[in-house]
Amino acid sequence: MQFITYPLPPFTYLDNGYLSGFSIDIIEAMMQNTQQTAKIEMYPFKRAFQLIKSQKNTALFLVAKRPERESEMKWVGPIISSGVYFYQKRDSGLSLAHLEDLKRVQNIGVVQDNADHTYLNAQGFTNLSTDNAQLQSLKMLSYGRIDVAPMSELVMPYLAQAANIDINTIERTPIKLYDSTLYIAFSNDTSDEDIALWQQAFDELKKSGQYQAIYDRYFTQELSIALH
């Protein structure tokens, strides 16, 4: 089984050339529980998402489980959930309260082919500006090149830190896109027995307290305060 991921701090990021992050720690702990080893490689999201649909014996993490994706792959989790909200520059002067309000802004920044992009496309939005990663979307927002961007409330403070952007210059709008529940997605050729094995490995992380210990390392009380 080949495991692949994409850059999204604090879930996955490079630290001095090494893959690090919440989801890396979760996957490695699950591998220990199943006594399996697998190589983990990181790609841009669009490339990773193409691979999970076209390549055998592959697992992609972490992926939002959306209805349009459900039959395309097999799922282990849920690993973590968070609200996805639209963010804007604090001094933008935009007054936004409802999803429909966003049809009148010039540009909404989304990651090419991710769940936010697919969902907004299906809702008839034609003012979408695509990037390769959410870090890029946040930078574009900070530069004033896009008006709003949807981001997980867990991820946004880490993205701001990674982009060297003062978090106080960006504000969360009241507009919630949805609650994003993230899973490990396995290619459809994966046997149901293997899926059950990996699900059991994750369930054991929860029962043993390992999951909570990993969660607490990344999502602290200070972060919770910063989000509200």
Side-chain angles (χ1 to χ4, degrees), residues 35-68:
Q35 299 183 324
Q36 295 193 44
T37 56
K39 189 177 180 182
I40 302 174
E41 294 184 333
M42 187 160 71
Y43 298 94
F45 179 82
K46 185 179 180 181
R47 174 73 176 136
F49 199 61
Q50 285 170 343
L51 285 173
I52 188 65
K53 292 192 287 185
S54 63
Q55 187 170 277
K56 292 185 176 182
N57 299 319
T58 304
L60 171 61
F61 63 96
L62 294 173
V63 187
K65 188 178 182 182
R66 305 292 305 161
E68 66 274 8

Side-chain angles (χ1 to χ4, degrees), residues 114-146:
N114 81 349
D116 305 340
H117 185 195
T118 306
Y119 182 83
L120 290 168
N121 251 338
Q123 297 294 314
F125 282 83
T126 57
N127 53 345
L128 304 178
S129 174
T130 57
D131 296 308
N132 290 324
Q134 285 206 317
L135 186 65
Q136 193 178 345
S137 294
L138 186 58
K139 286 180 178 178
M140 295 287 277
L141 186 63
S142 179
Y143 300 152
R145 293 180 188 165
I146 57 174

Side-chain angles (χ1 to χ4, degrees), residues 1 3 30 34 36 57-59 74-76 186-187 189-202:
M1 183 67 64
F3 280 75
M30 288 171 67
T34 57
Q36 295 193 44
N57 299 319
T58 304
K74 296 182 179 181
W75 304 88
V76 166
F186 288 77
S187 51
D189 67 299
T190 309
S191 71
D192 291 341
E193 290 78 13
D194 279 344
I195 295 296
L197 182 75
W198 287 105
Q199 184 67 55
Q200 183 183 354
F202 178 68

Side-chain angles (χ1 to χ4, degrees), residues 15 17 56 94 129 135 163-164 204 219:
D15 184 11
K56 292 185 176 182
L94 292 171
S129 174
L135 186 65
N164 201 23
E204 284 173 9
F219 306 108

